[in-house]
Amino acid sequence: MAKTIQSPLPGTFYRRPAPDQPEFVAEGGSVAAGDTIGLIEVMKTFHEVTAEQAGSNIRFSVENEAPVTAGAVLAEMD
Amino acid sequence: MDLTGRSLFIANRGEIAVRINRAARSLGMEVIQAHSEADADMLAVRLADRAVEIGPPAATKSYLDIARVVEAARASGADAVHPGYGFLAENAAFAAAVEAAGMIFVGPSAETIARMGDKVAARAAAIAAGVPTAPGSEGRIEGLAEARAVVAEIGFPVMIKAAAGGGGRGIRVVESDADLERLIPQAQTEAAAAFGDGGLYVERMVRDARHVEVQILGDGSRAVHLFERECSLQRRRQKVWEEAPAACLGAEARARVCAASVRLAEAVGYRGAGTLEFLFEPARDAFYFMEMNTRIQVEHPVTEMITGVDLVAEMIRVAFGAPLGLRQEEIAIDGHAIEVRVNAEDPSKNFMPFPGVTGAIETPEGVRFDTMLYEGYAIPPFYDSLLGKLIVHGADRDEALSRLREALAQTRIGGLKTTLPLFSALARDPEVLAGEVNTAWLESWLQRNIIQAA
């Protein structure tokens, strides 16, 4: 059963801390509980998206810089 | 000048687009409203004669895309483009592109925007026009000996700044010669590492600073001032509460800073509405020029309330080539005005943004509320959190404060968390009532006070 990571807020999803920096987590990578997997920009402020549980083989369902709604599934993992 | 039937393209969104629409209507103009995919149902679109989509929700792909905005305006057949504030309002390349496409840019020339947008060039223009700037080194200093020579002139405390820095980066406050000896080499090394340029400059540290800004209007040759505003209540360098006039100034200081501002506006051949921002240091009775904003500002309504001048309509008229419709001696201060910025933020949760669906709105009769809201409007998360501005006027500051408290008690915005509870608390604070604030005051007040969201 795949685990999901949902967006806590509506806004714009970013996979990198800054445009010239590497992704928080690469496609197919693993995360520990509490790891930051991306940022949501809402009204010009940035909020971290963290994994609530550990997982592996992460698969992002939303592109970098795509608009998302609150509760939207950002990624799935095993 | 008769602008009836001429068309204005509004290259902005939110409450300022609604405000520009109102000014254009008062001049009999046709309104064409730009909007992103996320803004198709915004109030300014509903109020416009025509609306033109300019791209995806992300501002970089719509409101900030110069080629796209200019092409949309040209294709719509607009006579003029109003940039509002933010987005492309102070972008010289945008102003030039609008004019190259055969339209009028509602603002100063691209050359003036570029000149006043460059910190060093703006400071040089200010000094040349006799506008006071913070005393400090004339340009860069290369070492401790030069820094000591400057401090001998202006005294401690001073700020050491990186010549290539900006936005508050690379600034150090120095109180003594021992600190200077230690911090100058350190600042040089850091500036070289951070900015690739170890150049520094030294400037007087302004204590207990208050933010005072002067509104000017120019037609390219002549300029007038419309007195000043005080915007010392700031959170994270963002103004939240503005007043006109500045209660901390006496008549002589007011006349001095307003006259200096007109000199600078005329020296650069300013056209349109603009604002010169200063720090005011009460203990020295001194003003220090910070920067000039070459656009209409968020807080322009408080100036309109005390002078009776429609600033947005005036800036459109002069953009079309009309001479200034006002003489200096016709502009006077009537009473006192206060504006508070109603943001979609939860003040009880560290101002967390709160995009949501607007419920029922109640505002008191006779109070100005410049807003983008209507009942049922879903606020998009892609832009800033400003929903509107509540603006009150009274015969004096005490009456304006009293009207603000009444207006806040009678204002309800359903469905959203807003900054209204912050202002209800501030409008009762003894230091705010006494006007004993500076630009650092609100941050420290917020550390000590918890605001319950209404």
Side-chain angles (χ1 to χ4, degrees):
Chain A
M1 170 89 184
K3 304 164 186 170
T4 62
I5 300 173
Q6 291 172 296
S7 179
L9 291 159
T12 305
F13 179 60
Y14 295 94
R15 288 188 54 193
R16 302 165 188 274
D20 58 347
Q21 287 176 32
E23 291 167 347
F24 287 106
V25 187
E27 183 78 12
S30 299
V31 296
D35 278 2
T36 299
I37 65 124
L39 300 174
I40 298 288
E41 180 186 5
V42 50
M43 293 180 155
K44 293 180 161 182
T45 63
F46 291 86
H47 304 267
E48 291 187 347
V49 183
T50 53
E52 286 179 9
Q53 45 190 334
S56 60
N57 188 26
I58 193 166
R59 300 172 299 278
F60 284 91
S61 16
V62 172
E63 303 252 330
N64 186 45
E65 294 186 22
V68 295
T69 54
V73 174
L74 300 173
E76 295 188 344
M77 56 190 185
D78 300 322
Chain B
M1 171 172 293
D2 185 11
L3 296 179
T4 309
R6 307 297 293 275
S7 57
L8 183 68
F9 185 92
I10 302 175
N12 212 300
R13 62 176 307 282
E15 69 86 22
I16 195 62
V18 176
R19 172 70 188 87
I20 297 164
N21 180 298
R22 184 155 65 78
R25 295 281 180 211
S26 76
L27 296 167
M29 301 179 80
E30 183 196 5
V31 175
I32 307 160
Q33 177 65 53
H35 68 89
S36 72
E37 286 168 18
D39 274 340
D41 58 353
M42 71 177 174
L43 184 54
V45 166
R46 296 186 167 202
L47 296 173
D49 295 297
R50 283 189 280 151
V52 182
E53 194 191 291
I54 53 163
T60 48
K61 295 169 185 162
S62 49
Y63 298 104
L64 288 169
D65 184 334
I66 293 178
R68 194 149 186 180
V69 173
V70 172
E71 177 50 27
R74 194 201 57 75
S76 76
D79 294 313
V81 175
H82 199 307
Y85 52 65
F87 296 129
L88 298 171
E90 290 176 279
N91 187 307
F94 179 63
V98 166
E99 300 207 328
M103 296 174 287
I104 289 166
F105 178 76
V106 181
S109 67
E111 186 194 3
T112 303
I113 294 172
R115 184 172 176 194
M116 300 317 283
D118 178 302
K119 294 258 177 206
V120 176
R123 185 180 155 98
I127 291 169
V131 172
T133 55
S137 51
E138 294 291 324
R140 304 156 57 103
I141 54 154
E142 300 297 342
L144 183 60
E146 279 185 59
R148 277 189 169 133
V150 174
V151 173
E153 300 253 326
I154 65 176
F156 287 110
V158 296
M159 287 185 292
I160 307 175
K161 298 185 176 181
R169 294 204 302 160
I171 296 179
R172 283 174 171 72
V173 176
V174 182
E175 304 268 357
S176 68
D177 188 68
D179 283 350
L180 197 67
E181 192 168 340
R182 184 168 55 85
L183 290 172
I184 286 279
Q186 191 184 319
Q188 274 179 315
T189 310
E190 251 191 48
F195 311 111
D197 174 358
L200 304 174
Y201 64 97
V202 174
E203 207 173 84
R204 175 184 287 166
M205 167 83 190
V206 182
R207 288 209 197 259
D208 199 25
R210 302 181 71 125
H211 178 110
V212 171
E213 57 184 37
V214 177
Q215 176 70 53
I216 60 115
L217 270 176
D219 61 13
S221 56
R222 199 167 64 82
V224 294
H225 70 79
L226 293 99
F227 299 98
E228 81 289 351
R229 300 181 281 263
E230 174 165 10
C231 322
S232 294
L233 293 183
Q234 301 180 6
R235 177 176 175 270
R236 297 189 174 171
R237 294 172 187 258
Q238 295 292 310
K239 301 161 187 168
V240 302
W241 164 309
E242 301 101 349
E243 303 189 24
C248 59
L249 299 187
E252 186 280 326
R254 171 171 298 121
R256 179 160 32 105
V257 74
C258 289
S261 300
V262 170
R263 280 201 304 276
L264 179 54
E266 290 191 339
V268 301
Y270 198 81
R271 183 187 69 216
T275 297
L276 287 90
E277 296 194 329
F278 296 87
L279 287 179
F280 176 60
E281 188 174 25
R284 294 181 195 261
D285 184 32
F287 293 97
Y288 308 112
F289 172 77
M290 286 193 291
E291 61 181 28
M292 180 169 191
N293 295 321
T294 55
R295 55 172 161 83
I296 193 72
Q297 285 190 274
V298 176
E299 60 273 23
H300 74 275
V302 287
T303 298
E304 297 185 323
M305 298 298 279
I306 62 159
T307 61
V309 175
D310 184 329
L311 289 168
V312 183
E314 275 301 310
M315 73 188 289
I316 295 171
R317 289 181 66 259
V318 298
F320 273 85
L324 266 185
L326 292 158
R327 289 199 307 274
Q328 189 66 63
E329 58 272 23
E330 294 169 337
I331 306 166
I333 299 177
D334 170 30
H336 194 92
I338 305 175
E339 168 185 289
V340 294
R341 297 194 189 188
V342 183
N343 292 342
E345 295 168 2
D346 184 351
S348 67
K349 287 191 180 148
N350 197 28
F351 297 86
M352 176 75 130
F354 197 95
V357 178
T358 315
I361 303 166
E362 283 174 50
T363 50
E365 290 272 318
V367 168
R368 180 169 170 184
F369 186 40
D370 282 16
T371 185
M372 68 191 284
L373 293 178
Y374 60 85
E375 191 172 340
Y377 176 58
I379 295 149
F382 310 109
Y383 312 105
D384 75 31
S385 60
L386 184 65
L387 301 174
K389 295 131 37 178
L390 196 63
I391 306 125
V392 296
H393 181 264
D396 56 23
R397 186 167 187 266
D398 284 345
E399 189 176 285
L401 283 162
S402 164
R403 294 217 166 129
L404 178 62
R405 285 188 293 272
E406 279 170 39
L408 289 166
Q410 294 168 34
T411 301
R412 301 268 182 285
I413 300 172
L416 305 172
K417 301 282 189 193
T418 74
T419 47
L420 285 168
L422 166 69
F423 302 122
S424 295
L426 288 175
R428 286 178 172 73
D429 184 273
E431 288 180 304
V432 172
L433 299 188
E436 289 165 358
V437 298
N438 57 43
T439 53
W441 184 89
L442 181 58
E443 293 278 4
S444 116
W445 186 90
L446 286 167
Q447 299 285 319
R448 290 176 276 118
N449 291 273
I450 295 163
I451 298 135
Q452 299 297 324

